């Protein structure tokens, strides 16, 4: 068990911040953007990151960050200070996550749900800001097999988006399947984070691979 898991199972970390969840996921083999955490408006450490940059404010009350105006995309290093000051003037901010902006692609949701009767269930579907509107998701009990993962993806109404839409290239399906296995396969994260649910939304899928650009963990 990692220090993160120990803390979560202690109930000490009520709702860990995005960067803490991403550090844990990254160790578990989930690709996440390179990023730095800044708490004092000194953005020097962000110089090592490649532009364009994404700025996200975090704080106890900030859950749906884009609704709150706590996400700014497409920034240069020079623009970070002013964007952060604007957020800090409107929101109660504990700090900022600055990360590299991933290439656009198909936005997926990958989640782990705890059904009171059935236990851990893997969820995937079309994600991003349209998740609630599209309602295009598939569910399977954990542990899933690779065959289950491929069937889940093929069952989505919008599956065509993954396999190359309007002459566009297909996304890296093997990388999507691998991610689903990392979360819901044998020995996957569903066995480790016993005390909660989590949601990667979105995971951006492109021809070269997948990357989880947002992550939330809801300790049980
Ligand atoms: P929230 O879901 O809390 O509103 P997100 O962290 O998901 O905030 O960010 C909102 C949107 O911004 C995402 O759905 C995604 O489209 C985009 N986004 C966030 N982080 C990145 C990133 N590192 N690279 C590219 N796009 C990003
Ligand atoms: Mg999100």
């Amino acid at each position: 068990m990692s220090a993160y898991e120990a803390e979560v199972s202690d109930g000490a970390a009520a709702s860990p911040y995005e960067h803490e969840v991403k550090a844990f996921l990254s160790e578990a083999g989930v690709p996440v953007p390179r990023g730095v955490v800044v708490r004092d408006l000194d953005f020097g450490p962000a110089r090592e990151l490649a532009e364009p940059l994404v700025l996200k404010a975090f704080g106890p009350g900030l859950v749906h960050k884009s609704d709150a105006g706590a996400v700014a995309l497409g920034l240069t290093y020079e623009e970070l200070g002013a964007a952060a000051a604007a957020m800090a003037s409107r929101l109660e901010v504990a700090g900022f996550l600055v990360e590299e902006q991933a290439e656009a692609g198909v936005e997926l949701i990958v989640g782990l749900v705890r059904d009171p009767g059935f236990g851990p269930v893997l969820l995937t579907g079309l994600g991003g800001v349209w998740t609630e509107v599209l309602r295009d998701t598939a569910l399977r009990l954990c542990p899933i097999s690779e065959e289950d993962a491929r069937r889940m993806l093929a069952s989505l109404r919008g599956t065509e988006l993954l396999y190359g839409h309007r002459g566009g290239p297909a996304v890296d399906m093997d990388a999507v399947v691998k991610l689903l296995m990392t979360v819901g396969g044998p020995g996957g994260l569903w066995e480790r984070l016993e005390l909660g649910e989590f949601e990667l939304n979105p995971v951006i899928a492109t021809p070269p691979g997948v990357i989880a650009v947002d992550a939330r963990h809801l300790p049980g």
Side-chain angles (χ1 to χ4, degrees), residues 9-79:
S9 55
D10 250 10
S15 226
Y17 289 128
E18 176 178 345
H19 62 90
E20 298 170 308
V21 185
K22 280 176 163 170
F24 171 77
L25 291 171
S26 171
E27 250 178 70
V30 175
V32 301
R34 293 211 308 145
V36 298
V37 172
V38 164
R39 292 181 186 270
D40 51 8
L41 292 179
D42 169 12
F43 285 97
R47 267 195 192 286
E48 66 177 69
L49 303 176
E51 295 171 342
L53 300 170
V54 178
L55 177 73
K56 302 185 188 186
F58 62 85
L62 289 172
V63 182
H64 298 291
K65 299 178 298 287
S66 20
D67 293 349
V71 180
L73 299 166
L75 301 179
T76 63
Y77 172 76
E78 268 71 31
E79 290 169 332

Side-chain angles (χ1 to χ4, degrees), residues 119-142:
V121 175
L122 179 73
L123 173 150
T124 193
L126 294 184
V129 284
W130 306 122
T131 312
E132 284 83 10
V133 179
L134 296 172
R135 294 178 180 278
D136 191 7
T137 53
L139 299 164
R140 284 291 185 290
L141 291 183
C142 298

Side-chain angles (χ1 to χ4, degrees), residues 65 201-202 214:
K65 299 178 298 287
N201 189 18
D214 189 19

